[in-house]
Amino acid sequence: MNTPPLSAEQEALFRLIEDTREHVFVTGRAGTGKSTLLQHLAWNTSKQIAVCAPTGVAALNVEGQTIHSLFRLPIGLIAGGEIDQSDAARKILNAIDTLVIDEISMVNADLMDAIDRSLRQARGRRSEAFGGVQIVMFGDPYQLAPVPPRGDELKYVRDHYRSFWFFDAKVWVGEQAADGILDVGTYGTELNIRELIDIHRQTDPAFKSMLNAVRYGRVTADIAQILNDTGARTPPDPADGEHPIITLATRNDIVNNINRRHLTELIGREQTAVAEVNGDFGRGDVYPADMELKLKVGAQVMFLRNDTQSFGEPPRWVNGTIGTVTRIAGGTVRVDVEGDEMEVEPAVWERYRYAYDAGSKSLTRDIVAEFTQFPLRLAWAVTIHKSQGKTYERAIVDLGSGAFAPGQTYVALSRLTSLDGLYLSRPLRPSDIRVDPDVQRFMAGVRRDAPAR
């Protein structure tokens, strides 16, 4: 597979991962190329690697396996003690040189420690962190957070961890001190933290500076006024021949209502493409596209993956490209993207599972299920969460009654390539700029750790 060329800082970081056994956390602001580096590593490393992620959708995006599936771990809080492991699971874990974890910011502290204990136990190296496996993690805590524990699980976490974030796992910070306070980085396994600096999504220094202010929770009155004054414009009217602008909203019901209303308003026959599922793909919430994709000519759609049929030419579309359906016939959909009409065919998403090949004494990555559907989604609106990793030239940011999660406003604004593309459904409020204090504590140390440049 051809992967995009690496920048100098990405190449230096790749060499650090490839040429050493250090545990590395790769972080960076939105648009710095974390996904590009991960993809390059997966396809170009000489090591036996396994790629995993905390959710089914995230695992599909990196062509890997979920953490729970790879390690055969139970769902829910994973406390101390022995972990049940089959012979097959132990063979897989023994074959891994480097474990790559994407979206690490969504991994809870107890799950991070369960990964450590599983590898120590399976490999018979209980005194060595992760049983001697190199850990490489990708993610940005300023954008995505783990699901907070509740009830008794929350009580357990409060008794055993400084926070539920991955960076406060005991493997990194050491065992709990006598006074109950965990001292980050003093007693635990050494973690090489590298922050990619060069932003590839935006080019305007002033807009980059504003996004940084939102990211770190340092929005001044002047910055807020610029964002609000710019975003207060009325979006172009589709009746004037303009394409509708995608809306980034906080909740699924808002998104579904917007998409349903626009689709209903279109004249013409609604057609439904039903996905084909082969093998054990899991529940519907891990499907990479709609099981039933309802379309009409004139529908605004977003591509859900990069073009794989360009054969050496520049891709006709990328994950996040917006277009308009012009024709539905003969098992294909034609989509207009900025005046160019593309023929789109169903795409196949493959679900993988790692296995151990005794003959070669190496890991294999087997396809265990396939999901076939047009790589499209209605895109008059999308949730801010699902906009993660996407790039838009123009978008309406609708925070509704308010951002309900730290980092949500930063994710929404940082999807845009420039300030000129920002439209706000209402002015930003101070309460919309939310940063988790545990993330501030941890990332303050990151920026002091000589970042890769």
Side-chain angles (χ1 to χ4, degrees):
M1 176 179 178
N2 292 324
T3 56
L6 298 184
S7 66
E9 69 168 355
Q10 289 171 327
E11 178 64 32
L13 197 38
F14 171 70
R15 293 269 41 112
L16 169 69
I17 295 167
E18 184 70 4
D19 298 341
T20 75
R21 303 290 305 160
E22 293 187 34
H23 305 305
V24 182
F25 170 42
V26 181
T27 189
R29 289 162 284 182
T32 50
K34 296 183 293 294
S35 296
T36 298
L37 177 58
L38 189 156
Q39 186 182 62
H40 182 90
L41 172 66
W43 284 94
N44 294 280
T45 183
S46 60
K47 299 177 179 179
Q48 289 275 352
I49 74 165
V51 182
C52 60
T55 68
V57 172
L60 282 175
N61 289 339
V62 293
E63 298 184 340
Q65 195 170 344
T66 66
I67 295 170
H68 285 83
S69 173
L70 177 62
F71 285 87
R72 311 292 199 268
L73 293 170
I75 301 298
L77 185 100
I78 307 169
E82 288 290 300
I83 294 172
D84 289 336
Q85 291 177 329
S86 65
D87 287 341
R90 281 194 292 272
K91 287 178 180 177
I92 292 170
L93 299 184
N94 268 283
I96 298 173
D97 293 327
T98 299
L99 179 71
V100 178
I101 309 174
D102 194 28
E103 302 293 15
I104 187 63
S105 64
M106 298 180 70
V107 173
N108 290 65
D110 66 289
L111 180 55
M112 189 83 251
D113 280 336
I115 292 170
D116 172 45
R117 290 205 317 279
S118 294
L119 288 167
R120 293 187 197 223
Q121 183 179 314
R123 298 164 70 90
R125 298 164 72 173
R126 293 178 184 263
S127 63
E128 193 171 357
F130 302 104
V133 172
Q134 179 188 29
I135 305 297
V136 179
M137 303 174 291
F138 289 81
D140 181 9
Y142 281 108
Q143 296 186 57
L144 285 175
V147 177
R150 297 179 180 178
D152 288 342
E153 293 187 359
L154 177 58
K155 294 176 183 176
Y156 179 91
V157 169
R158 284 176 172 168
D159 283 345
H160 292 81
Y161 294 101
R162 184 168 181 175
S163 80
F164 53 80
W165 287 86
F166 78 94
F167 48 74
D168 281 333
K170 292 179 182 178
V171 67
W172 303 125
V173 303
E175 288 297 322
Q176 200 161 1
D179 60 1
I181 301 298
L182 289 173
D183 189 3
V184 176
T186 301
Y187 305 106
T189 305
E190 185 175 350
L191 178 61
N192 194 327
I193 306 165
R194 295 300 184 99
E195 185 170 13
L196 292 168
I197 300 300
D198 297 335
I199 297 175
H200 307 288
R201 183 173 293 143
Q202 296 92 17
T203 57
D204 176 23
F207 187 44
K208 288 182 183 181
S209 178
M210 291 179 211
L211 291 177
N212 280 343
V214 175
R215 172 183 168 90
Y216 300 129
R218 301 170 185 162
V219 177
T220 64
D222 288 342
I223 292 173
Q225 184 172 352
I226 293 171
L227 291 171
N228 284 330
D229 288 349
T230 303
R233 299 166 298 161
T234 301
D237 190 344
D240 298 332
E242 292 277 354
H243 288 298
I245 299 175
I246 191 169
T247 295
L248 309 182
T250 53
R251 302 201 322 261
N252 273 309
D253 59 335
I254 297 173
V255 166
N256 292 337
N257 287 337
I258 292 173
N259 284 331
R260 192 179 302 114
R261 173 169 54 83
H262 279 284
L263 189 66
T264 301
E265 289 172 352
L266 291 175
I267 61 172
R269 182 166 66 94
E270 180 178 289
Q271 299 189 53
T272 302
V274 180
E276 180 182 331
V277 182
N278 294 309
D280 179 18
F281 210 91
R283 305 181 311 278
D285 59 349
V286 302
Y287 290 164
D290 292 338
M291 187 67 195
E292 294 187 351
L293 175 63
K294 299 181 185 300
L295 295 175
K296 287 182 182 179
V297 170
Q300 179 163 292
V301 292
M302 178 175 70
F303 286 86
L304 299 176
R305 61 188 297 172
N306 296 343
D307 174 27
T308 58
Q309 303 296 320
S310 50
F311 303 112
E313 298 295 323
R316 296 168 294 171
W317 61 77
V318 295
N319 186 3
T321 294
I322 303 292
T324 304
V325 174
T326 57
R327 187 169 181 263
I328 309 170
T332 63
V333 176
R334 295 191 73 84
V335 177
D336 178 278
V337 177
E338 297 182 349
D340 291 329
E341 198 172 54
M342 321 285 189
E343 188 170 281
V344 184
E345 297 179 343
V348 179
W349 284 265
E350 297 165 332
R351 187 171 186 183
Y352 295 94
R353 183 171 296 150
Y354 288 96
Y356 179 70
D357 186 317
S360 63
K361 296 183 179 180
S362 63
L363 283 179
T364 62
R365 195 179 56 153
D366 302 329
I367 298 172
V368 295
E370 293 182 335
F371 181 96
T372 305
Q373 177 60 288
F374 288 100
L376 301 169
R377 171 181 285 138
L378 291 178
W380 288 285
V382 67
T383 61
I384 293 172
H385 183 79
K386 287 183 178 176
S387 75
Q388 189 78 22
K390 308 291 195 299
T391 300
Y392 307 113
E393 292 186 4
R394 303 186 303 174
I396 300 168
V397 175
D398 181 0
L399 295 173
S401 59
F404 59 81
Q408 202 168 40
T409 301
Y410 172 66
V411 170
L413 297 178
S414 62
R415 300 308 96 202
L416 291 162
T417 56
S418 71
L419 184 61
D420 292 338
L422 173 64
Y423 297 82
L424 293 170
S425 64
R426 64 157 175 81
L428 294 174
R429 307 166 185 155
S431 58
D432 294 324
I433 312 300
R434 300 182 58 190
V435 182
D436 189 295
D438 288 306
V439 173
Q440 289 179 312
R441 163 177 56 85
F442 174 68
M443 294 295 281
V446 171
R447 290 194 299 281
R448 288 196 295 269
D449 284 343
R453 290 189 177 274

